[in-house]
Amino acid sequence: MSTCKIYTGRMPTGSGADLALLLLGSYRNLVDEVVDELARRGFPDARPSHEYAMRAIQAGADNASALGRSLAITKQAAAKTIAALTERGYVTTEASPLDARRRQVHLTEHGLALMRAGAAIFDEVRARWEQRLGAGELARLEEQLAQFVGDSPIRLDAPGWVARDQADGH
Amino acid sequence: MSTCKIYTGRMPTGSGADLALLLLGSYRNLVDEVVDELARRGFPDARPSHEYAMRAIQAGADNASALGRSLAITKQAAAKTIAALTERGYVTTEASPLDARRRQVHLTEHGLALMRAGAAIFDEVRARWEQRLGAGELARLEEQLAQFVGDSPIRLDAPGWVARDQADGH
DNA sequence: AGAAGTAGACAACCTGGTTGTCGAAAAAGG
DNA sequence: CCTTTTTCGACAACCAGGTTGTCTACTTCT
């Protein structure tokens, strides 16, 4: 509890570095909450990156190379992701009849269930934010953020943060 | 150029998952810009995590254990960070005269220069955002984000994203 | 003095990425 | 039709930034 914070609340709203911390912190809070709730609802091994990868698969990136392109990562990394998803039973692969090189990926029922649960929880959390801010305010915030994001592909090579409680070694 | 995007702009502002992507994307855009500019200004090996670690060091976390507590990571990870900073010449360590176990860390002139440059660039980017949004708007946005962050310590175990151009293997 | 706690080092490991190389299959083009 | 080029996926080695667990040296508390 006494972990002193790198950013100790209510800062004077001015420094660019703090703005970055605010953005990162908000993201983390949102995502951590979703991951925790997902674990509680029977998906203890779901990681943020899985969600995004499965979205891309659902949207048509049904093989390693395409998934890599879609996620702006290498096909090798994409293949690893697919392997992880397969291990956990969220997707299956099979040989493509059209192209003997391809291994075609698609979601299992379990995978679809994860996506439904994930989307629902995301929306719940967003609804809580909306309640705190007011509907118009949140929409405005999203619009403003969208301006900064522009049309740049969002790279989510953000890795390991599962928000496990940090118990310092022994 | 044809990397299809996971989030293709102007989304309808409603889904919680997209909100997460907006936050992450904004953060990445901001930080990538700073890292790039830092490289251009003579700090080609500066990583986002360095900035944050050095801030904590400057704020008094002048040994591995303290730095770990400050950053909410293990002391081992903190020691690795200190090693990386030392390698790059941003900090030096010396034995503490008061406590023979401790290795006291402090910033070098080069490290201070990095921090000055980093802060300046961060502020420049923020100023550009402010210009686009209007001063009041950005302040409001920051305030709203601060509400979501609350007083939770911001964990920045976000790792490897340096936004290097993704050239797919051969 | 002795017990308990803390600082840091070392080793092994994990995750989500990265190169680079390769063989097999498909597509393009003479 | 045969050759060249491209693409897909696999394998191996590596890296960054974390994690545990174990261990020794030093401090502090009683």
Side-chain angles (χ1 to χ4, degrees), chain A residues 7 16 39 48 53 61 69 72 75 78 83 88 108 118 127 152:
Chain A
Y7 151 72
R69 280 190 296 267
K75 60 185 176 181
R88 290 165 165 83
T108 62
S152 57

Side-chain angles (χ1 to χ4, degrees), chain A residues 27-40 121 124-125 128-129 163, chain B residues 148:
Chain A
Y27 173 79
R28 294 254 359 207
N29 270 14
L30 204 173
V31 168
D32 286 353
E33 216 169 324
V34 172
V35 170
D36 285 0
E37 185 59 28
L38 230 23
R40 246 172 269 127
I121 299 170
E124 282 167 30
V125 178
R128 276 211 296 286
W129 284 29
Chain B
F148 298 132

Side-chain angles (χ1 to χ4, degrees), chain A residues 20 23 145-155, chain B residues 7 21-37 121-122 125 128-129 132 161 163:
Chain A
L23 290 167
L145 290 178
Q147 277 191 45
F148 297 133
V149 173
D151 55 355
S152 57
I154 297 183
R155 308 195 53 213
Chain B
Y7 151 74
L21 250 14
L22 282 178
L23 291 166
L24 179 57
S26 303
Y27 174 79
R28 293 253 0 209
N29 271 12
L30 204 172
V31 167
D32 286 353
E33 216 168 327
V34 171
V35 169
D36 284 359
E37 185 58 29
I121 299 170
F122 260 122
V125 178
R128 274 210 297 287
W129 284 29
R132 270 179 82 169
W161 60 39

Side-chain angles (χ1 to χ4, degrees), chain A residues 4 13-14 16-17 20-21 27-29 55 70 123 126 129 132 137 140-142 144 147-148 157-159, chain B residues 4 13-14 16-17 20 27-29 55 70 123 126 129 132 137 140-142 144 147-148 154 157 159 161:
Chain A
C4 70
T13 320
L21 252 13
Y27 173 79
R28 294 254 359 207
N29 270 14
R55 281 184 156 215
S70 186
D123 289 348
R126 182 181 179 281
W129 284 29
R132 272 179 80 170
E137 286 303 299
R140 169 204 223 104
L141 189 149
E142 285 172 334
Q144 292 173 335
Q147 277 191 45
F148 297 133
D157 37 6
Chain B
C4 72
T13 320
Y27 174 79
R28 293 253 0 209
N29 271 12
R55 280 184 157 216
S70 185
D123 289 348
R126 183 182 178 279
W129 284 29
R132 270 179 82 169
E137 286 303 296
R140 168 206 222 107
L141 188 150
E142 285 172 336
Q144 292 172 336
Q147 277 190 47
F148 298 132
I154 297 183
D157 36 6
W161 60 39

Side-chain angles (χ1 to χ4, degrees), chain A residues 2-7 9-11 13-31 51-53 55-56 65-66 69-76 119 122-123 126 128-130 132-133 137-170, chain B residues 2-7 9-11 13-31 51-53 55-56 65-66 69-76 119 122-123 126 128-130 132-133 137-170:
Chain A
S2 67
T3 53
C4 70
K5 294 136 202 188
I6 196 179
Y7 151 72
R10 325 266 158 260
M11 90 267 214
T13 320
S15 130
D18 289 334
L19 174 53
L21 252 13
L22 282 178
L23 290 167
L24 179 57
S26 303
Y27 173 79
R28 294 254 359 207
N29 270 14
L30 204 173
V31 168
E51 279 268 331
Y52 299 127
R55 281 184 156 215
S65 294
R69 280 190 296 267
S70 186
L71 261 33
I73 59 179
T74 57
K75 60 185 176 181
Q76 292 87 336
F122 260 122
D123 289 348
R126 182 181 179 281
R128 276 211 296 286
W129 284 29
E130 197 169 55
R132 272 179 80 170
L133 242 53
E137 286 303 299
L138 184 55
R140 169 204 223 104
L141 189 149
E142 285 172 334
E143 209 176 302
Q144 292 173 335
L145 290 178
Q147 277 191 45
F148 297 133
V149 173
D151 55 355
S152 57
I154 297 183
R155 308 195 53 213
L156 21 78
D157 37 6
W161 60 38
V162 218
R164 45 178 140 255
D165 28 19
Q166 73 275 14
D168 190 346
H170 102 143
Chain B
S2 67
T3 52
C4 72
K5 295 134 198 186
I6 196 177
Y7 151 74
R10 326 263 157 263
M11 92 268 212
T13 320
S15 130
D18 289 333
L19 175 53
L21 250 14
L22 282 178
L23 291 166
L24 179 57
S26 303
Y27 174 79
R28 293 253 0 209
N29 271 12
L30 204 172
V31 167
E51 279 268 331
Y52 298 127
R55 280 184 157 216
S65 295
R69 281 189 295 268
S70 185
L71 260 33
I73 59 178
T74 57
K75 59 187 178 180
Q76 292 88 337
F122 260 122
D123 289 348
R126 183 182 178 279
R128 274 210 297 287
W129 284 29
E130 198 169 55
R132 270 179 82 169
L133 243 52
E137 286 303 296
L138 184 55
R140 168 206 222 107
L141 188 150
E142 285 172 336
E143 210 177 301
Q144 292 172 336
L145 290 178
Q147 277 190 47
F148 298 132
V149 173
D151 54 356
S152 57
I154 297 183
R155 309 194 53 215
L156 21 78
D157 36 6
W161 60 39
V162 218
R164 49 179 134 252
D165 29 16
Q166 71 276 11
D168 189 348
H170 103 138

